[in-house]
Amino acid sequence: MDKGYTSFLVATLLLLTNAVGAQSTLLVPVEHSTIQAGIVAASSGDTVLVSPGTYVETIDFLGKAITVVSSAGSDVTIIDGFGGGSVVTFASGEGLSSRFEGFTVTGGSGVQLLAPGSLTNGGGIFCNESAPTIVGCRLIANTAGHGANFAAFNAPSAIALLGCTFADGIALSGGGGVYAWESDLVITGCTFENNYAAVGGGLTVNDDGPGSPIVATVEISDCRFDGNYASVGGGVYVQHANLAVSECSFVSNEGTVAGAGMVLGTGAEADVSRSVFVTNDTSGVGGGALLDGVQSASFTECLFMENNANVYGGGIHTSVNPNTIFV
């Protein structure tokens, strides 16, 4: 073999090896005293590995395609924002390769998007024009105007929420657990429990409505919505969006005015399959689900049992809509 060609191959292999080796693991707190210090020091492809403990701080991924992960899981690794805004921020165009895994996130109060005095957003995690991957996290007891535990706005692609718990969030407006505005979501294996909001106690999905160039698509599978509370839509509230739900449970949610388990509102298109609606309760209409102005909806192989509505529609109440199918 030509010596020049052999030298070229060796040089190329060394270059590739060095490139792979350049990805580093940064240790918190051994090498960096805070998680944010580790993020600042990290480069694309790096991992910030966090030891067990409680970290009183707020963090920002700064647009970096890195993994921030706990070494021992969310039960023993806590980030407490202590009322200092959003605990975790993705607001610099992060994508799915920006990964946050294995933390309890609490004590967040959210950030304002508009003028001072407007409602805050995303007490636990705040995403704006970003689409990260969130895995195995517990977002608990955060507060905000929208999205007490998690809020997303204008995501450029689908945000992945995998194996997470959203609990005890309190939102003044929408989404005690999760709030999404013009943002696609893929939610798998998650629990929404004991969240409170005016609308959509567990989850609120919204869009600009008719004529908007963006229509949110939300895919929910293998999730539980238990004991969430709202005036309208105790478990889930969706309008002007496409919703696909499979193998989920909606249990003991409360909608004081209407729609305890689920509300499909104006412009919603929904396909709900192999899911159960049990012991949801409202003083108004639609104990299990309320369909009000939907574009289309189908319920396939679903169970509605022991739901209650003081007015009518203990299982399901729907406005006149020829595009609603029950199988």
Side-chain angles (χ1 to χ4, degrees):
M1 182 180 292
D2 181 78
K3 290 183 179 180
Y5 182 65
T6 302
S7 298
F8 170 77
L9 285 177
V10 171
T12 301
L13 289 172
L14 287 173
L15 181 62
L16 291 173
T17 301
N18 290 335
V20 172
Q23 295 182 357
S24 301
T25 298
L26 296 80
L27 304 178
V28 176
V30 175
E31 298 173 338
H32 302 277
S33 60
T34 66
I35 301 171
Q36 187 61 43
I39 292 172
V40 170
S43 299
S44 179
D46 286 351
T47 295
V48 178
L49 184 62
V50 182
S51 294
T54 297
Y55 299 83
V56 181
E57 61 176 305
T58 60
I59 67 173
D60 189 325
F61 264 61
L62 303 174
K64 296 186 177 184
I66 60 175
T67 295
V68 177
V69 59
S70 68
S71 63
S74 62
D75 287 343
V76 293
T77 317
I78 301 163
I79 308 177
D80 189 339
F82 211 70
S86 300
V87 182
V88 183
T89 296
F90 298 90
S92 301
E94 291 89 352
L96 290 177
S97 57
S98 296
R99 184 179 176 99
F100 182 66
E101 180 174 357
F103 293 89
T104 290
V105 175
T106 192
S109 57
V111 63
Q112 291 174 327
L113 276 177
L114 303 174
S118 61
L119 291 176
T120 58
N121 304 277
I125 296 179
F126 171 70
C127 296
N128 187 38
E129 298 182 352
S130 300
T133 301
I134 314 296
V135 181
C137 288
R138 300 169 67 243
L139 291 92
I140 297 177
N142 298 286
T143 61
H146 297 110
N149 284 317
F150 183 97
F153 295 83
N154 308 304
S157 57
I159 297 168
L161 303 176
L162 311 175
C164 295
T165 296
F166 304 89
D168 301 320
I170 299 176
L172 295 178
S173 183
V178 170
Y179 180 88
W181 176 269
E182 292 193 348
S183 296
D184 295 348
L185 301 174
V186 175
I187 307 175
T188 303
C190 292
T191 297
F192 296 75
E193 188 171 35
N194 298 329
N195 298 289
Y196 169 89
V199 175
L203 168 68
T204 293
V205 179
N206 208 340
D207 191 84
D208 269 335
S212 170
I214 300 174
V215 176
T217 297
V218 178
E219 300 177 7
I220 307 174
S221 61
D222 191 28
C223 291
R224 294 172 44 231
F225 293 82
D226 295 352
N228 301 287
Y229 176 96
S231 294
V232 179
V236 170
Y237 178 89
V238 175
Q239 67 175 6
H240 298 300
N242 299 324
L243 176 69
V245 176
S246 63
E247 298 180 350
C248 292
S249 64
F250 299 82
V251 179
S252 299
N253 300 288
E254 184 175 353
T256 55
V257 175
M262 174 186 292
V263 172
L264 301 176
T266 304
E269 297 186 9
D271 180 4
V272 183
S273 63
R274 299 183 303 281
S275 295
V276 299
F277 297 76
V278 180
T279 61
N280 301 288
D281 185 88
T282 179
S283 59
V285 298
L290 169 63
L291 282 59
D292 186 14
V294 298
Q295 287 289 108
S296 64
S298 65
F299 290 80
T300 305
E301 297 181 23
C302 292
L303 172 67
F304 289 80
M305 184 172 67
E306 298 181 4
N307 302 287
N308 178 67
N310 285 355
V311 180
Y312 40 73
I316 295 179
H317 174 70
T318 178
S319 59
V320 178
N321 190 326
N323 296 318
T324 302
I325 301 172
F326 304 98
V327 180

